[in-house]
Amino acid sequence: MNNIGLVLEGGGLRGIYTAGVLDAFLLNGIELNYCIGVSAGVCNALSYISKQKERSRNVNINYINDKRYFSIRNLITTGSMFGYKMLFDTIPNELLPFDYDAYEKSSCRLVAGATDCITGEEVYYTLDSVREQYNIINASISLPFISRIVKYDNKELLDGGLADPIPIKKSIADGNEKNIVVLTQHKGYQKTPSSLSNYAKIKYKRYPKLIDVLNERHNIYNDTLNNISILEEEKKVFAIYPSKPLEISRFEKDTNKLLDVYNLGLSDTLKTMNNLIEFIKK
């Protein structure tokens, strides 16, 4: 399956939809050689590439209400609502072990995107080793306002979903003639301007380019969706959207709702599996 890219949107806890999509891929033996994601998309890609079906689902379902994982307490004490020790040590090494060896032996290349706070531009890193490059994952998932800026590679980085929310252009630039794009918003969705513009000017006054990105994010996102629609018509993209609006927020803590969204991702993908396989084989 060379020259077919897998492009994964973020979306916080809405990313559990993507977990369902990728588990449907694993159930049907769909393995791709290139994957690019931002934010939650990167986390879901890790379990997909290591072939650990249901792992991404279980991380969110089992621990979203664990204060070590996600809480106001973390924000007050560490500057981030996500607990980094829980994310990068306790869960992958003790509670739901991540198969590092399977990931590193995989032929799939995973590219993670993050936003450079100084330049306002997206930067991309290939994740060869999760153990040695966890700071890249940390940067990509660090949502603005509720996470600390991550210093890595002589840069100051935040959520990859800001500057390039659905990195289809990067996948094409990397040589993928066709792409499978997994989205966490329903078809026809359009992002509206942020309500936090004034707060952004205060919070990130040292980063004017980042403020510009935050203010323009809705236009960046909507332009990317329009581009994806054009590529769909040209049969260069196979897009998987939620079949209905996801009635959850990016910070959802209701595990029943999260499980419903996971199951929707699984069922949506299984229903279109024949079309997807045909797209891959052409």
Side-chain angles (χ1 to χ4, degrees):
M1 298 183 187
N2 293 326
N3 299 322
I4 299 178
L6 175 60
V7 181
L8 305 178
E9 181 181 5
L13 271 299
R14 289 197 306 272
I16 200 167
Y17 178 85
T18 303
V21 172
L22 297 182
D23 280 352
F25 283 21
L26 291 175
L27 285 169
N28 285 272
I30 295 177
E31 298 179 28
L32 301 164
N33 291 330
Y34 177 100
C35 179
I36 185 168
V38 294
S39 199
V42 175
C43 296
N44 285 313
L46 294 171
S47 294
Y48 165 68
I49 293 171
S50 64
K51 298 182 183 179
Q52 292 179 270
K53 188 169 69 70
E54 298 182 352
R55 183 179 180 278
S56 288
R57 180 198 72 177
N58 292 339
V59 167
N60 287 305
I61 296 296
N62 293 357
Y63 302 113
I64 189 58
N65 289 302
D66 188 319
K67 292 181 179 179
R68 296 172 297 170
Y69 179 71
F70 186 76
S71 66
I72 294 294
R73 184 184 68 181
N74 288 338
L75 181 64
I76 295 171
T77 59
T78 71
S80 173
M81 286 189 74
F82 287 100
Y84 295 120
K85 178 174 174 54
M86 185 73 167
L87 277 171
F88 298 114
D89 182 11
T90 306
I91 291 176
N93 296 322
E94 299 175 20
L95 300 176
L96 285 173
F98 180 72
D99 193 335
Y100 296 99
D101 291 337
Y103 176 86
E104 290 172 8
K105 290 176 182 177
S106 173
S107 61
C108 184
R109 172 191 175 197
L110 175 57
V111 178
T115 300
D116 187 322
C117 297
I118 302 297
T119 67
E121 297 176 349
E122 193 81 352
V123 292
Y124 307 93
Y125 298 95
T126 297
L127 280 169
D128 297 313
S129 172
V130 175
R131 281 174 283 208
E132 296 178 2
Q133 296 176 294
Y134 71 90
N135 277 330
I136 295 171
I137 304 167
N138 187 6
S140 188
I141 67 173
S142 290
L143 300 171
F145 306 113
I146 66 164
S147 301
R148 292 177 300 187
I149 290 173
V150 176
K151 294 183 178 180
Y152 177 79
D153 190 29
N154 294 317
K155 296 179 174 64
E156 297 182 61
L157 304 172
L158 272 179
D159 179 15
L162 300 178
D164 193 6
I166 312 166
I168 178 73
K169 290 183 179 179
K170 172 61 176 172
S171 181
I172 294 170
D174 282 349
N176 295 303
E177 299 170 359
K178 298 195 297 184
N179 285 277
I180 300 165
V181 180
V182 182
L183 298 146
T184 55
Q185 296 285 8
H186 58 282
K187 194 172 182 64
Y189 171 83
Q190 291 282 285
K191 187 176 288 294
T192 57
S194 172
S195 61
L196 298 174
S197 294
N198 289 332
Y199 180 48
K201 292 177 183 177
I202 300 170
K203 174 78 173 176
Y204 299 116
K205 61 184 178 181
R206 291 181 52 240
Y207 305 97
K209 296 292 186 182
L210 177 62
I211 293 172
D212 290 343
V213 168
L214 290 167
N215 288 336
E216 283 296 312
R217 190 180 177 216
H218 62 292
N219 290 324
I220 297 169
Y221 187 89
N222 294 336
D223 287 346
T224 304
L225 287 180
N226 292 337
N227 184 41
I228 288 170
S229 294
I230 292 169
L231 293 171
E232 277 188 283
E233 293 176 2
E234 296 174 350
K235 308 300 181 184
K236 294 178 181 178
V237 157
F238 189 97
I240 300 175
Y241 301 82
S243 56
K244 61 182 180 180
L246 301 184
E247 301 298 334
I248 62 171
S249 73
R250 63 173 52 229
F251 306 125
E252 185 62 62
K253 302 191 79 170
D254 186 321
T255 55
N256 290 323
K257 290 182 179 180
L258 291 171
L259 185 58
D260 286 345
V261 171
Y262 167 84
N263 287 331
L264 183 66
L266 185 67
S267 63
D268 281 351
T269 309
L270 293 176
K271 287 175 184 176
T272 193
M273 186 57 64
N274 289 338
N275 293 333
L276 176 59
I277 291 172
E278 182 180 354
F279 173 83
I280 290 171
K281 289 182 175 179
K282 279 187 176 179

